[in-house]
Amino acid sequence: MMDAVVTGVSRIYELGGTVVLVLIGAAIVALAVILYKLWQFAAAGVGRHRALARAIDAWDRGERGEARSQLSASRSYLAPVIGMALSAPDVPEAQTRLAAEAETRFAGLERGLRFLDMVAQLAPLLGLFGTVLGMIEAFRSLQEAGAQVDPSILAGGIWVALMTTAAGLAVAMPVALILSWFEGRMEAERVLAERAIATIRAPLGSRDGRSGERVAPVAAAHG
């Protein structure tokens, strides 16, 4: 088994050189990061906030008990932040604290995305770098051939050189696509958190703490 791996690596090195080996290594690490991020997103419940959304809507309608009941049923990673918002004092500093708590959780989910961004940006450049090195080697071999120039020497060198560019693009394109999906999910999560915190801090309807009766929204009361 080990001999087969060594033989395969040697064959890849002969065809594409060090650059291709570096690209393959980057692709393996990127794949590991992607799989971990998919697991992390699933475990955190990214995109699955039904109970949380129901809690926010109930709070917005002034149904405090229902809101807390729905929040306790939520498995969202944002549930602790929303729980803090429900009991936070009505002061401007609370909004900043809640936003910071949400950002702390976002930072944990975004850890590793910078590496994927680096791979997506550097892989094509590494491939181009390998192509330039390959072309230099091909023309050097052509020069050493002197008067006995064999076109196959140049053609073979160019083929090997261009393979590094193809390898770089093959690594960069799927990584860039998956990174874009991750970033889109995180942007949606931020929008959800901002709306949730703003709704809880300034609900359209509320219940009077003494009578339990519904209090009309401020805008409607002055309308």
Side-chain angles (χ1 to χ4, degrees):
M1 181 65 179
M2 184 59 66
D3 292 340
V5 173
V6 173
T7 302
V9 171
S10 300
R11 178 60 177 167
I12 292 172
Y13 178 79
E14 291 175 1
L15 289 176
T18 305
V19 173
V20 172
L21 289 179
V22 171
L23 287 171
I24 292 175
I28 293 173
V29 177
L31 178 60
V33 172
I34 289 170
L35 293 176
Y36 170 72
K37 298 309 294 183
L38 289 173
W39 172 83
Q40 186 184 29
F41 274 40
V46 173
R48 301 196 302 271
H49 306 293
R50 291 184 180 179
L52 189 67
R54 288 194 294 267
I56 296 168
D57 290 341
W59 186 273
D60 197 27
R61 295 192 303 268
E63 301 172 0
R64 302 295 189 251
E66 176 65 17
R68 295 185 185 279
S69 175
Q70 291 291 342
L71 182 62
S72 64
S74 175
R75 297 182 179 275
S76 170
Y77 69 99
L78 288 174
V81 178
I82 302 306
M84 291 176 59
L86 296 184
S87 57
D90 190 11
V91 294
E93 292 79 4
Q95 186 83 10
T96 304
R97 173 62 186 275
L98 292 170
E101 290 290 337
E103 277 299 324
T104 300
R105 286 158 176 78
F106 294 148
L109 290 173
E110 290 176 334
R111 191 174 295 115
L113 297 187
R114 188 176 296 275
F115 172 77
L116 295 181
D117 181 58
M118 182 182 67
V119 172
Q121 292 189 37
L122 291 184
L125 297 179
L126 279 173
L128 182 60
F129 178 65
T131 295
V132 172
L133 293 179
M135 293 295 291
I136 291 174
E137 181 63 24
F139 282 112
R140 187 186 65 80
S141 300
L142 190 63
Q143 182 184 22
E144 291 178 352
Q148 299 178 348
V149 177
D150 185 357
S152 64
I153 297 177
L154 182 60
I158 293 175
W159 176 82
V160 172
L162 290 178
M163 187 179 69
T164 61
T165 297
L169 293 174
V171 172
M173 288 188 292
V175 171
L177 182 63
I178 296 172
L179 174 63
S180 178
W181 182 84
F182 280 134
E183 291 177 338
R185 290 302 324 162
M186 292 310 303
E187 182 64 26
E189 294 293 300
R190 278 191 166 84
V191 171
L192 173 68
E194 290 174 3
R195 175 188 174 275
I197 294 173
T199 299
I200 291 170
R201 303 305 295 166
L204 294 180
S206 61
R207 290 184 185 274
D208 181 73
R210 293 164 297 179
S211 64
E213 294 179 355
R214 187 71 169 267
V215 176
V218 175
H222 289 79

